[in-house]
Amino acid sequence: MSPPPSPRPSAAAASRLWPALALAFGLGAIALPQSEGFRAIPGDLGDARLNGLLLEHVFRWLHGVDPSLWSPGFFYPFPGALTFSDNHLGTVAVYALLRWGGLGPEPAYIGWFTLAYAANFLCCHHALRRFGFTAPGSAAGAFLYAFAMPALVQSGHAQLGYRFAVPLAMLALHRLLRDGRPIHLAWLGVWVVLQFYCTIYIGYFLLLLLGGYLAASYLVPSSRAEFLRPHRLVASLAGAPRDREWWCSLAMLAASAAALAVLFVPYAYYAHLYGFSRSPAEIASLLPRPGSYLLADASRPWGGFSLGITGIPNRQEQQLFVGAAAGLLALIGLLRATPWVRVSALALVLLVALTLDVRGHSLYVLVERLPLASAIRAASRIILVLLLPLAVLTAAGVDRLVTANGRLVPARRFLAALLVAALGWECATLGTASVPLTAWHARLDALRAQAPATLPPDAIVFVPRQPGVPFYLTELDGVALAQALGRDTLNGYSGNSPPGQGQTADPCDDLVDRLTGYARFTHGDMATVEALARRVVPIGATLHCELPAALPVRTVVRGALPVDVFGKIDLAVVGMAIVGPRQLAVEVEVDNAADTPLGSLSDNGQAVRFSWRFLAAGTAADAAVGWDTRSELRSDVPAHGRMRQRLRVDAPMAPGRYRLEVSMVQEGVAWFHDRGMAVAHGSREIDVGSGGRLVGLH
């Protein structure tokens, strides 16, 4: 395809009207309602708040307030916590400009979030126009790319929002395959690196998309030499004259490579330091299933149909349905398609096939162990770059209808208008979550009211976990409070976590685990723990914690436990007591008759943990149902040895008489009770009154 000819003045005005209308509709009917007109944070109090805190940290570092970029002061005193997730280095300028313009952290975050839609739309529209599509077709394709339902359901994961470099990279590839000039390769490198700086997830998926397009360019026949095949492209670049463009391109590529190294060296260093990796089972659980591409649970027109599709794990990450209108326009676009449209369609099919999991089998195993791929947990998010070839097909579909000749022109144009309107309606009627700013502020204000009037300069803030409150809320409460007070904090929440940061409900056990985890990490001793403990200031609860006499023995479980180990573990409930209005202290004993120690740590998400459930007294339940709770194994269980541990257990909310069952799991591998271990039963029944208050034990 070649760029469209320069339009006449009236046609030029019309060509600007289409994208203006599409963008205005997307912002007015979708983006602004997500924030309730800047009165709410899109998403929830989890990942959305984390992204806001990370942006504010980088902004504070630019101002010289926070001393270290890579160690933001949460998960303290562990270093390099910014590398535990995305860093926003490529988009913090947008946030900083809004902050310098006088906005507070939360309004600046909403503005940063909203402007991602505009950036994605405008860059995609620019690329589609340069691909040769008409103004209406480009506007429709760009709207799909920016506002499609799979993009909207990720509003809580705002780190994935800025995808504007993807269409620019594909435009550079298009020009590179067409002309073979080094400058296009240089710009391709620039856009890929910039996308990595915006979000590492999308940068990785962009590499897959580029690979898909290169593979498709081999397979799509063309009646004319419109594109260079990749092997001929290499020859063309190697034979390019050593002129000013060549040297400029070389300098741009060198600068891009250096920038990429600056980004990835800290990530590689800290990943090696902490031993971070993803288990194959964790990655496999988040691969798309065939039914994933029909899921849109929060859609007004399609939600009922979507909810009828079952059996898909991690459902919240599998909402990949783009809508019927986009599908129909894409199919229409394939009729008499140009080579670039066919390449786009085949690249889309190749990447769907690569990442699809069908009954536990996937081609993705061929790439998941590669250095960058092994760090990517949710491969289902590849849909966010697959929207680009879908945008190409959508633009082709609209063009096929609006540029048709013959007697059916009015009908075809009416169909185009109808499908574009349906596309907008499907996207605008998708429900998304948000949290009012008042609720956002209330959590922080409540904690600030409980904080001491003055804190020592070296104080370490710690907000303990609360009964019945999701752990990530108190963790982020601690991070937000520490940032507001200008102090470090033991709290932290991210895609990875350091040793000792686990799912332990007892606040004292949790505190001790964090301190001893750091001491082991630095090869310290109890003196290290005691020195840190003297600096800790709990806020939100009063704690009187005893430190252990020695560091617990904790080793890392490498991969799945031997199959015979599961059945040689004996678990018993040896004590129960009411310790709060809604909490039980449950003491369990683990007896290990195997020749293999039961390690209590994992570096790839396959930790051994306790789980429990409540059953109505006198009833039975499926052994596979109800095991949603978790608590860490706080120390190793030696071979042919035993260990006791106290669990903090929240009571059920519904009144009644219950009995307690306790089991164990190796995450991503197996439940112990499925491989021979008997489920442990509490010897006493629990009476629960209204509001989940514990009445007594019998």
Side-chain angles (χ1 to χ4, degrees):
M1 286 184 173
S2 58
S6 299
R8 298 185 303 274
S10 59
S15 69
R16 290 191 293 269
L17 179 62
W18 291 109
L21 290 174
L23 180 58
F25 177 78
L27 293 176
I30 297 173
L32 289 177
Q34 282 187 318
S35 66
E36 299 178 18
F38 275 65
R39 293 190 299 272
I41 298 290
D44 56 22
L45 285 169
D47 286 343
R49 192 156 52 140
L50 172 64
N51 282 304
L53 292 167
L54 291 176
L55 283 164
E56 183 67 13
H57 159 68
V58 180
F59 174 72
R60 288 161 60 96
W61 175 75
L62 291 171
H63 267 265
V65 176
D66 288 355
S68 171
L69 171 64
W70 297 107
S71 299
F74 57 84
F75 289 123
Y76 185 83
F78 289 95
L82 189 62
T83 65
F84 295 178
S85 65
D86 265 310
N87 53 65
H88 301 300
L89 296 182
T91 61
V92 70
V94 178
Y95 179 84
L97 287 173
L98 294 171
R99 292 284 279 120
W100 287 327
L103 295 182
E106 292 81 15
Y109 173 81
I110 299 172
W112 170 86
F113 173 90
T114 304
L115 287 172
Y117 288 118
N120 294 337
F121 178 92
L122 292 172
C123 289
C124 186
H125 181 267
H126 170 77
L128 292 172
R129 288 292 280 159
R130 294 305 175 271
F131 291 155
F133 295 111
T134 66
S138 298
F143 179 88
L144 175 71
Y145 182 72
F147 298 102
M149 290 190 288
L152 300 181
V153 297
Q154 294 290 352
S155 60
H157 298 132
Q159 72 273 20
L160 304 173
Y162 279 84
R163 298 174 286 123
F164 65 89
V166 173
L168 299 179
M170 300 313 300
L171 177 59
L173 177 66
H174 178 269
R175 290 170 168 171
L176 180 63
L177 292 174
R178 184 189 64 196
D179 301 334
R181 291 173 54 190
I183 193 64
H184 299 317
L185 178 63
W187 278 112
L188 176 59
V190 168
W191 299 128
V192 168
V193 172
L194 180 57
Q195 188 58 70
F196 270 112
Y197 268 81
C198 293
T199 164
I200 291 174
Y201 253 93
I202 303 301
Y204 165 71
F205 293 139
L206 173 56
L207 292 182
L208 293 184
L209 185 64
L210 290 168
Y213 266 81
L214 289 173
S217 69
Y218 268 115
L219 301 173
V220 171
S222 178
S223 59
R224 56 193 177 94
E226 182 172 355
F227 298 112
L228 293 169
R229 297 298 192 227
H231 67 282
R232 294 180 180 174
L233 174 62
V234 173
S236 175
L237 291 171
R242 303 304 193 260
D243 55 10
R244 182 178 180 181
E245 177 183 310
W246 190 91
W247 288 107
C248 181
S249 301
L250 183 62
M252 291 173 65
L253 286 170
S256 297
L260 199 60
V262 169
L263 177 67
F264 275 111
V265 164
Y267 277 88
Y269 171 76
Y270 286 111
H272 175 73
L273 183 66
Y274 290 105
F276 291 147
S277 65
R278 301 291 185 188
S279 70
E282 182 180 16
I283 294 173
S285 70
L286 285 156
L287 289 174
R289 273 56 176 177
S292 302
Y293 289 96
L294 297 175
L295 292 189
D297 291 348
S299 168
R300 187 180 301 171
W302 301 110
F305 169 77
S306 174
L307 291 168
I309 301 172
T310 59
I312 297 178
N314 292 292
R315 190 179 184 92
Q316 72 282 1
E317 287 281 3
Q318 304 280 358
Q319 307 286 310
L320 310 185
F321 184 48
V322 296
L328 288 172
L329 285 169
L331 290 175
I332 294 170
L334 285 173
L335 301 176
R336 292 194 296 179
T338 63
W340 185 245
V341 173
R342 292 198 295 270
V343 167
S344 298
L346 184 55
L348 175 65
V349 171
L350 289 175
L351 290 178
V352 169
L354 174 67
T355 55
L356 196 65
D357 183 292
V358 180
R359 297 184 179 181
H361 301 284
S362 176
L363 295 173
Y364 196 69
V365 297
L366 301 174
V367 299
E368 69 179 20
R369 291 293 91 192
L370 296 176
L372 180 58
S374 62
I376 300 300
R377 185 176 68 97
S380 58
R381 295 175 183 175
I382 195 173
I383 187 66
L384 297 174
V385 300
L386 296 185
L387 290 173
L388 194 279
L390 276 169
V392 170
L393 293 169
T394 298
V398 172
D399 281 6
R400 178 78 175 87
L401 294 173
V402 300
T403 60
N405 296 315
R407 292 180 302 171
L408 297 178
V409 169
R412 290 184 176 185
R413 292 183 176 178
F414 175 76
L415 177 59
L418 183 65
L419 290 175
V420 169
L423 171 63
W425 175 67
E426 286 179 314
C427 297
T429 54
L430 183 82
T432 57
S434 63
V435 179
L437 286 177
T438 52
W440 191 286
H441 293 150
R443 298 192 67 87
L444 181 58
D445 292 343
L447 285 171
R448 294 193 73 157
Q450 299 177 64
T454 58
L455 285 171
D458 66 344
I460 304 172
V461 170
F462 177 56
V463 176
R465 296 176 183 176
Q466 303 293 327
V469 177
F471 80 95
Y472 64 85
L473 289 182
T474 50
E475 294 301 324
L476 288 169
D477 287 343
V479 175
L481 178 64
Q483 192 175 80
L485 297 175
R487 297 295 189 273
D488 297 318
T489 177
L490 295 175
N491 296 105
Y493 174 72
S494 195
N496 290 298
S497 58
Q501 184 88 4
Q503 300 183 38
T504 302
D506 185 281
C508 280
D509 290 348
D510 187 25
L511 173 60
V512 169
D513 286 352
R514 297 176 197 233
L515 300 180
T516 57
Y518 179 73
R520 284 193 313 274
F521 175 75
T522 57
H523 306 289
D525 53 20
M526 285 305 299
T528 305
V529 175
E530 292 163 1
L532 288 171
R534 285 192 290 269
R535 297 168 55 192
V536 174
V537 179
I539 299 176
T542 301
L543 300 183
H544 302 285
C545 305
E546 294 184 7
L547 297 178
L551 295 179
V553 177
R554 304 198 71 179
T555 55
V556 175
V557 177
R558 305 286 182 185
L561 292 168
V563 175
D564 65 313
V565 169
F566 294 86
K568 294 182 179 179
I569 302 297
D570 182 67
L571 178 64
V573 176
V574 295
M576 294 172 60
I578 297 175
V579 293
R582 292 199 59 246
Q583 275 202 332
L584 291 168
V586 179
E587 189 170 10
V588 296
E589 182 175 88
V590 183
D591 194 332
N592 181 10
D595 297 328
T596 302
L598 204 58
S600 54
L601 296 173
S602 173
D603 58 6
N604 67 349
Q606 293 184 316
V608 175
R609 294 189 173 110
F610 295 102
S611 182
W612 58 89
R613 64 180 183 178
F614 287 95
L615 300 178
T619 65
D622 188 329
V625 175
W627 301 104
D628 302 320
T629 55
R630 296 290 189 275
S631 188
E632 299 296 310
L633 185 65
R634 298 185 59 230
S635 67
D636 294 354
V637 185
H640 303 286
R642 63 182 57 185
M643 181 272 290
R644 285 195 176 193
Q645 182 172 322
R646 180 186 57 192
L647 308 178
R648 282 288 185 103
V649 175
D650 292 338
M653 287 299 297
R657 177 167 288 193
Y658 297 88
R659 58 187 179 88
L660 176 70
E661 293 187 342
V662 184
S663 186
M664 299 177 73
V665 61
Q666 185 180 15
E667 303 287 4
V669 178
W671 287 92
F672 281 66
H673 59 251
D674 287 338
R675 293 191 174 179
M677 187 196 81
V679 172
H681 300 270
S683 60
R684 306 170 72 183
E685 294 181 345
I686 303 105
D687 278 344
V688 178
S690 61
R693 295 183 64 86
L694 289 163
V695 176
L697 301 175
H698 301 278

